[in-house]
Amino acid sequence: MNSYRSTILLLLMCTWLMVFLTGCWNNKELSAISVVMAMGIDAVDDQYEVSLQVVDPSQMSRNSPMERTPTIVFSKRADTIFEAIRKLTTESSRKLYMSHLKFVIFDEKTAKKGIKEPLDFLFRDHEVRPDFYLAVVRENSAKEAVTFVAPTEILPAMDMYKALRLSEKAWAPTSAVNVKDLLQKFTEDGIEPVLTGIRLTNLEKGLTIDNVTKSPQHVKYFFTGIGVFKGDRLINWMDDSQSKAFTYISNRVSSTVASIDCPYSNGKFVVEVIRSKVKMRPEIIDHEPHISLIVDTESNVGTVSCNANLKNEETFRDLQKSAKEHLEQSLKEGIRNAQHIGSDIFGFGEAFHRKFPREWHRWKEDWSQKFQTLKVDIQLNYRLIRFGEITSPIDMGLHNQE
């Protein structure tokens, strides 16, 4: 009897699944929607200009000839982002579908004005997934940044999305910030947000399909530096060398390279950082905040263009010492620059908030001033662990064989 009841129950469950789960409850026909991949937000006069990069399905196949660009850009101005997007329905016969949004780009004017207001709509919209990246375009408009035709990927937004993820993993000065990271920074005490910068070159020749079908490509973009914020407002920029301090201290470095002057001889050697971990230790000394950074880094020697025999233990130690000093100098320079700007992008204040909540309550209101004079000690453990198969420069090896 129990077996019979189990069989009936199983049949009922299967029937229910077949009836109710044959399709998505909120599905939409592809022909009825426009998939938005990127959004550009510009401040124009007292309004926002919103530019949406939308997929053109008819141009998506790589097997079909490229007769025109694979994306369409719609643009409208309004007092708010929500109004501008609604206005765009007057130009598009399809519903704008935001679930696949990959990139939101601000111009510098919007970033300096404040990005909380334009982001408020995206935080609230149920269709928008909180996994898109954000950036600030430098010297150009956000509309231009979402309009150019990318040479590598069919969709320009995917090209930038993948490039930023790859660059963060392989190049320390680049920092990929998604909307979750940004929202967390807005809600935490003692830490300020950053956004990566984008530059465009030779843009006027890159707005047509020729940028894809002809070589060399005209327009190029590259991620450079990080924009330093206070609250939701952009206040300054850190260049590539200075922004390394942020990525190291926030433990965002998975791999990078550095070119360093050779000790005691002309030329340079290049190291590949393969592991780096920074521990932050907040302390109170004489009633004032202090920070100690314990940095543990391992690297390989990549290339050597000076007269150095890596089999020699003393030479190897000299290279390791130079690499350590180079990283230590980069960290100190980046910290000094952030202190000069007056924005705690490293989260030193957050560390005090966690460990010394009572003292933090007293320091919170004037933390920006305390951060500018905060003493930061760096304890750097740096190890060169491998140097490949060749232990001396190629020309030196050939000379020794003659």
Side-chain angles (χ1 to χ4, degrees):
M1 190 65 179
N2 288 337
S3 177
Y4 174 76
R5 287 180 177 176
S6 298
T7 303
I8 293 298
L9 182 60
L10 181 61
L11 287 171
L12 288 173
M13 290 179 63
C14 289
T15 303
W16 184 87
L17 290 171
M18 290 174 64
V19 171
F20 291 100
L21 300 183
T22 53
C24 179
W25 71 272
N26 195 27
N27 69 319
K28 297 179 176 67
E29 294 294 335
L30 184 60
S31 59
I33 62 174
S34 291
V35 179
V36 178
M37 300 297 294
M39 177 185 294
I41 301 176
D42 292 293
V44 181
D45 299 325
D46 294 327
Q47 293 185 312
Y48 293 109
E49 182 172 22
V50 176
S51 304
L52 300 182
Q53 183 188 110
V54 176
V55 177
D56 179 2
S58 65
Q59 297 294 317
M60 281 296 296
S61 174
R62 286 191 179 273
N63 297 324
S64 62
M66 278 279 192
E67 297 176 353
R68 58 191 177 91
T69 61
T71 56
I72 304 167
V73 176
F74 297 108
S75 185
K76 281 291 183 183
R77 296 182 189 179
D79 293 334
T80 66
I81 304 299
F82 198 6
E83 288 177 280
I85 292 176
R86 282 298 177 92
K87 275 187 176 183
L88 287 169
T89 61
T90 63
E91 295 184 8
S92 175
S93 60
R94 304 180 181 188
K95 183 184 185 304
L96 297 170
Y97 189 62
M98 307 284 286
S99 291
H100 293 283
L101 183 68
K102 292 297 182 184
F103 234 104
V104 172
I105 301 174
F106 303 99
D107 72 330
E108 288 188 84
K109 186 176 179 181
T110 302
K112 290 176 180 178
K113 182 180 176 182
I115 61 176
K116 271 188 181 178
E117 183 179 339
L119 280 176
D120 183 70
F121 165 74
L122 297 175
F123 286 149
R124 296 173 186 274
D125 194 307
H126 69 280
E127 280 192 353
V128 180
R129 298 173 183 171
D131 60 355
F132 56 87
Y133 286 135
L134 304 108
V136 179
V137 63
R138 307 179 66 174
E139 300 179 359
N140 287 95
S141 69
K143 181 179 180 179
E144 291 171 327
V146 300
T147 303
F148 77 91
V149 183
T152 307
E153 296 285 338
I154 294 176
L155 302 175
M158 285 303 300
D159 194 272
M160 300 175 78
Y161 181 83
K162 291 180 179 180
L164 183 56
R165 292 181 64 182
L166 179 63
S167 181
E168 184 185 46
K169 291 178 180 179
W171 183 238
T174 306
S175 180
V177 180
N178 66 30
V179 69
K180 286 182 181 178
D181 297 329
L182 189 68
L183 183 59
Q184 186 176 1
K185 298 288 174 56
F186 284 159
T187 57
E188 290 180 345
D189 289 330
I191 187 169
E192 300 289 355
V194 303
L195 288 182
T196 192
I198 303 176
R199 288 192 185 275
L200 307 172
T201 60
N202 207 11
L203 181 68
E204 66 281 356
K205 293 184 179 181
L207 301 179
T208 68
I209 200 64
D210 286 349
N211 202 51
V212 176
T213 58
K214 295 182 179 180
S215 183
Q217 281 73 39
H218 297 299
V219 71
K220 294 180 181 178
Y221 71 89
F222 57 97
F223 300 107
T224 176
I226 59 172
V228 177
F229 282 69
K230 182 172 284 189
D232 70 329
R233 298 174 185 268
L234 174 70
I235 60 172
N236 215 320
W237 288 95
M238 297 177 76
D239 62 27
D240 282 355
S241 62
Q242 296 164 345
S243 61
K244 281 185 178 181
F246 168 76
T247 51
Y248 270 98
I249 294 172
S250 57
N251 287 310
R252 291 172 175 258
V253 174
S254 55
S255 178
T256 190
V257 297
S259 179
I260 305 163
D261 290 330
C262 291
Y264 314 124
S265 64
N266 295 326
K268 293 181 178 290
F269 69 101
V270 177
V271 296
E272 177 194 16
V273 177
I274 59 173
R275 192 184 72 84
S276 183
K277 182 71 175 177
V278 177
K279 293 181 181 179
M280 195 179 298
R281 189 170 64 198
E283 301 171 295
I284 297 177
I285 301 175
D286 295 330
H287 308 290
E288 290 296 328
H290 287 66
I291 282 282
S292 293
L293 299 178
I294 297 89
V295 185
D296 191 23
T297 302
E298 290 182 353
S299 300
N300 295 330
V301 176
T303 61
V304 179
S305 62
C306 53
N307 188 7
N309 183 0
L310 301 185
K311 286 183 177 180
N312 184 288
E313 186 176 342
E314 185 176 353
T315 300
F316 191 78
R317 283 200 304 267
D318 287 341
L319 293 179
Q320 181 173 268
K321 181 181 177 183
S322 295
K324 176 182 177 180
E325 292 173 349
H326 181 271
L327 177 56
E328 188 172 11
Q329 181 62 29
S330 293
L331 295 176
K332 289 180 177 179
E333 182 183 354
I335 293 169
R336 281 197 302 266
N337 189 263
Q339 288 181 316
H340 177 73
I341 295 172
S343 178
D344 184 3
I345 60 176
F346 310 109
F348 294 157
E350 183 188 23
F352 282 104
H353 184 199
R354 289 195 306 266
K355 189 171 182 179
F356 304 105
R358 183 178 299 178
E359 286 78 4
W360 171 254
H361 184 72
R362 298 200 311 266
W363 296 336
K364 179 179 176 180
E365 295 303 320
D366 64 341
W367 178 250
S368 181
Q369 288 72 33
K370 280 193 173 295
F371 169 72
Q372 290 181 303
T373 58
L374 179 69
K375 286 192 175 183
V376 182
D377 296 321
I378 299 174
Q379 301 174 27
L380 179 53
N381 305 312
Y382 196 103
R383 294 181 299 280
L384 290 178
I385 58 174
R386 286 194 294 270
F387 45 77
E389 298 298 324
I390 300 176
T391 56
S392 60
I394 291 177
D395 58 347
M396 179 180 174
L398 293 175
H399 178 75
N400 290 337
Q401 291 177 2
E402 292 179 355

